[in-house]
Amino acid sequence: GEAYRNRIRGERADNIEEAIRYSQAALEVRTRNAFPEQWAGTQMNLGNAYKDRIRGERAENIEKAISCYDLALEVYTRTAFPEYWARTQMNLGNAYSDCIRGERAENIEKAISCYDLALEVYTRTAFPEKWAMTQNNLANAYLDRIRGERAENLEIAIACYEVALEVYTRTAYPERWADTQNNLANAYLFRIRGERAENLEIAIAGYKLALEVRTRTAYPQYWADTQNNLAAAYSNRIRGERADNMEEAIRRCQAALEVRTRTAFPYNYVQTSFNLGLTYKELKQWQLAYDTFDNAIETLEDIRAEIVKGGDADKQKLAEDWQKLYQAMVEVCIEQKNYTAAIEYVDRSKTRNLVELLATRDLYPKGDIPQTVLDKLTDLRQNIETEQRRLEIEERNRDNFGGGTTGERSANITTAPTSPPDRSHLNQLQQQLDDLINREITPIDPDFRRTQKVQPMPFAEIQALTGENTAILEWYILSDRFLAFIVTPPTKPTGTNGETVTLWQSSKEDYNQLVNWADDYLNAYRNRTSQDWQNSLISRLQKLGEILHIKELMATIEKTAKKCDRLVLIPNRFLHLFPLHAIPISVSGGDITYLMDRFSGGVSYAPSCQLLQTANNRDRQKFSELFAIQNPTEDLEFTNLEVRRISTSFNTQTTLAKKQATKTELNSQQKTTLKTAHCHHFSCHGYFNFANPLLSALLLANCYLQPPPDPIDRSRHLPLNNNNTVDLSQCLTLGDVFTLDLVDCCWLVTLSACETGLIDILSKSDEYIGLPSGFLVAGSTNVVSSLWAVSDISTALLMIRFYEVFWEVKNVAIALNSAQNWLRNATKTKLLNWINPADKMRLNKSLEKIKDDKPFASPYYWGAFCAVGKVT
């Protein structure tokens, strides 16, 4: 097994698999009882193989490695086998440093603990080289540490690097001396204590020392790494002439890019290009900044296109890590007054996040795709994943000391200069996947390609979404201000340099007010034990309108496009959580004019222009077949009335009511009524999971667990405030929604439930991951969803009226806005005259509890619901 793990010839992935197989075979005889020492040694070898493994999910492999090391330590105690114990502790520390699952902060703490333990045996006197190696690993862990005071962590890292250099001298260990000098310089680059100017000088000196050994000829990759670091130090340098420092930073970045090419080291190319672009940006060399950022973004999206199911969690966070790149590009475009390019990059940055989620869910194309094509698609994805793993391991092994932690047998790999990883096979596989999609899948499912890679959407296509009478209002939140782009139908041939799109920019004060307002709103909503949030909703929304300068934006729309009677809102980040359509525009006496009142053609929402285009391109002609879920948990009084009234208007209807509405029954309908229905109506409880959006769910029958399980499994169980516990495997989760096939017939999905329109705002990138996007991707052209915990009675009345209007106008936004306007103005008498006689008594009993003659005037009762999707 160890021979295969260290084998140079043959496929690296195959060799590691053989190493695992032989180690596992050895453990069939080398049992703990019969051969405890050999058993422990084989467990450690198996752990090493899992840590290096290319195939399978990276997170799972690291977990298996940790488990093997833990088992080995049951025999390799400090007393009986001190050296093996220390070696295993260091291996375990390395595994925790690389661990993907669990809390990152906790994993680093465990790594630090393991290194500290290893140093109890790996003393400088007894094991000087291993002592220095462990000191370096410990320093790396403190450099990345999340807990504790950042300044103190950096001081500890510096101290560890400095003592490692007492052994790693230039004469005895030149390569490791250079690696440690580079790492020490990194620590000084970020150092908080001491004089900032002096710290930067020490960092620059350290990088230059490292470059005495890390030459381009001997160690081209490490040379480029240090050149990149040195560029960052010069960009931040305080001493010397600023212009000279920036020119030096440019020179060092350009040098690094001679090795960090887009082909050989794409991720490093993005890093250095971003640094170079920022330098050009500071120097106001706008075109050079634009070109540099553009190349970086193209490369970043190529990297993202290679992410398939099983990709590492750190790759899944690529979008969040590089949101700053898109923001910098947007800022450059604005400086160039190239507003059309700015909105292209704004929309490009939004769409890519949802695409990544879909790719990691292993989404398959819709429609009648031959099984041979689906099998080929699966094979190519698996082969791409395996090749990615191979490249990841190869690159990690090339840089397993200077760039991170080191293992016991790393010296030979570290000191041997090797060529960059060969990506040609991965490129061939990716090309085969592209060819398969273009040739066999796109003609049947033209939207599938969007789930594989973000395709830039030119402004001409964005503006085409406006038709003749639609305005698009798209927000984008930067680090110190927020932007609003207004796109209206062209009144003359498309021009350039901002002539076809209007940009509005906030002040920094507006930005700060918006962030504070959002925090206050969300805190009030979360703590709504009293009626404060509900009672203050109108005044809160008024304030939001002032911060967003809604009146000013509306005036701009009216000035540039007087005929626009439809509005599409494309929020950004936390703005998705607020009912922008219900912002008060004016108050006259007791009458309030809301934003939606200004647009007779309806106000709707979209997550991005690209997904709006996808929805608009779906042609749905029929609307006669209904699939409905009705009160599956049997604790909602008015959902029965709601579904009964709505269903009478359809020629064909399938309703899973109460106990019938199980996950099993829903699954059984997937290829029949669920797939063929034109309208899907869910009248039930809903839940959004901020911690794991894929576990957001619509609750179905038999989902409550009695008694609650012990322990609670957060990946499956949802504890509720009423002491119930939900079994999410018996619910329709967002993950399930992405697998639905609604692409042929579905016109509308109505989520008549609580919080079904909430989206993930915990990261800066995954800004529209929620049930509405799931149903849009599944195939629906429109989704109606809610932004908070809604009232049962008002929701039922609103939904019934919504469908009444929809049958007349066949436009979701118009129907929803009309129903909302009707409900807020409806008196008790009007409602009782409108309802069926059979339901009048029950409605009257509920209305008696409300004192106001217009019981549902507050936006609390109607403002939560939003229309997302197709405009026309």
Side-chain angles (χ1 to χ4, degrees), residues 355-394:
V355 169
E356 180 177 3
L357 174 69
L358 299 179
T360 58
R361 288 299 302 171
D362 205 6
L363 189 74
Y364 281 85
K366 314 292 185 183
D368 190 16
I369 307 292
Q371 188 59 46
T372 54
V373 175
L374 295 177
D375 292 343
K376 182 65 174 175
L377 178 65
T378 300
D379 290 343
L380 282 171
R381 282 170 162 171
Q382 291 175 345
N383 291 338
I384 288 172
E385 177 190 343
T386 298
E387 183 64 7
Q388 283 180 271
R389 300 267 177 235
R390 185 187 71 78
L391 291 171
E392 288 169 11
I393 297 298
E394 184 176 340

Side-chain angles (χ1 to χ4, degrees), residues 522-541:
L522 294 173
N523 286 332
Y525 177 69
R526 293 189 188 102
N527 302 315
R528 59 191 187 282
T529 51
S530 66
Q531 294 292 307
D532 173 65
W533 174 83
Q534 180 178 332
N535 293 337
S536 63
L537 187 57
I538 292 178
S539 61
R540 287 180 187 275
L541 293 177

Side-chain angles (χ1 to χ4, degrees), residues 623-696:
F623 195 74
S624 60
E625 185 173 337
L626 171 71
F627 180 90
I629 295 292
Q630 174 186 326
N631 195 16
T633 52
E634 301 187 63
D635 54 359
L636 294 169
E637 181 182 359
F638 282 91
T639 57
N640 301 320
L641 166 65
E642 174 186 326
V643 176
R644 188 174 71 249
R645 283 286 301 275
I646 291 170
S647 62
T648 58
S649 300
F650 288 86
N651 295 335
T652 304
Q653 61 93 9
T654 300
T655 299
L656 300 183
K658 301 181 180 179
K659 293 181 180 180
Q660 290 182 316
T662 64
K663 181 70 169 294
T664 301
E665 185 60 29
L666 185 70
N667 288 338
S668 71
Q669 303 276 350
Q670 281 207 40
K671 294 184 178 180
T672 54
T673 56
L674 191 64
K675 183 176 181 178
T676 60
H678 309 127
C679 177
H680 297 73
H681 188 91
F682 293 84
S683 188
C684 56
H685 287 295
Y687 162 74
F688 185 79
N689 189 324
F690 281 99
N692 188 342
L694 283 175
L695 297 181
S696 302

Side-chain angles (χ1 to χ4, degrees), residues 553-763:
L553 297 176
M554 292 303 102
T556 302
I557 291 174
E558 291 176 357
K559 181 180 178 180
T560 56
K562 296 180 180 179
K563 294 183 179 180
C564 283
D565 64 357
R566 293 179 179 173
L567 179 64
V568 178
L569 302 173
I570 303 180
N572 183 226
R573 291 171 55 190
F574 53 80
L575 284 179
H576 282 287
L577 302 184
F578 312 131
L580 304 177
H581 62 284
I583 289 177
I585 298 294
S586 64
V587 179
S588 178
D591 295 328
I592 301 176
T593 299
Y594 294 95
L595 176 61
M596 67 179 189
D597 298 331
R598 298 283 287 271
F599 296 90
S600 59
V603 176
S604 62
Y605 293 78
S608 68
C609 287
Q610 187 163 358
L611 286 182
L612 177 61
Q613 182 187 58
T614 299
N616 281 354
N617 289 340
R618 290 172 177 162
D619 186 22
R620 301 288 189 269
Q621 299 295 328
K622 296 180 180 180
F623 195 74
S624 60
E625 185 173 337
L626 171 71
F627 180 90
I629 295 292
Q630 174 186 326
N631 195 16
T633 52
E634 301 187 63
D635 54 359
L636 294 169
E637 181 182 359
F638 282 91
T639 57
N640 301 320
L641 166 65
E642 174 186 326
V643 176
R644 188 174 71 249
R645 283 286 301 275
I646 291 170
S647 62
T648 58
S649 300
F650 288 86
N651 295 335
T652 304
Q653 61 93 9
T654 300
T655 299
L656 300 183
K658 301 181 180 179
K659 293 181 180 180
Q660 290 182 316
T662 64
K663 181 70 169 294
T664 301
E665 185 60 29
L666 185 70
N667 288 338
S668 71
Q669 303 276 350
Q670 281 207 40
K671 294 184 178 180
T672 54
T673 56
L674 191 64
K675 183 176 181 178
T676 60
H678 309 127
C679 177
H680 297 73
H681 188 91
F682 293 84
S683 188
C684 56
H685 287 295
Y687 162 74
F688 185 79
N689 189 324
F690 281 99
N692 188 342
L694 283 175
L695 297 181
S696 302
L698 298 168
L699 274 57
L700 300 175
N702 302 331
C703 69
Y704 292 139
L705 292 170
Q706 293 294 342
D710 186 19
I712 294 288
D713 179 356
R714 291 287 178 174
S715 67
R716 176 172 176 174
H717 305 135
L718 168 65
L720 301 180
N721 292 332
N722 59 7
N723 296 322
N724 280 326
T725 300
V726 172
D727 181 355
L728 291 172
S729 70
Q730 299 304 311
C731 301
L732 182 67
T733 66
L734 176 56
D736 297 325
V737 172
F738 282 131
T739 67
L740 297 179
D741 185 357
L742 310 179
V743 75
D744 293 328
C745 304
C746 184
W747 186 331
L748 171 65
V749 172
T750 304
L751 304 176
S752 181
C754 295
E755 300 184 344
T756 52
L758 296 183
I759 56 95
D760 180 16
I761 60 164
L762 296 183
S763 74

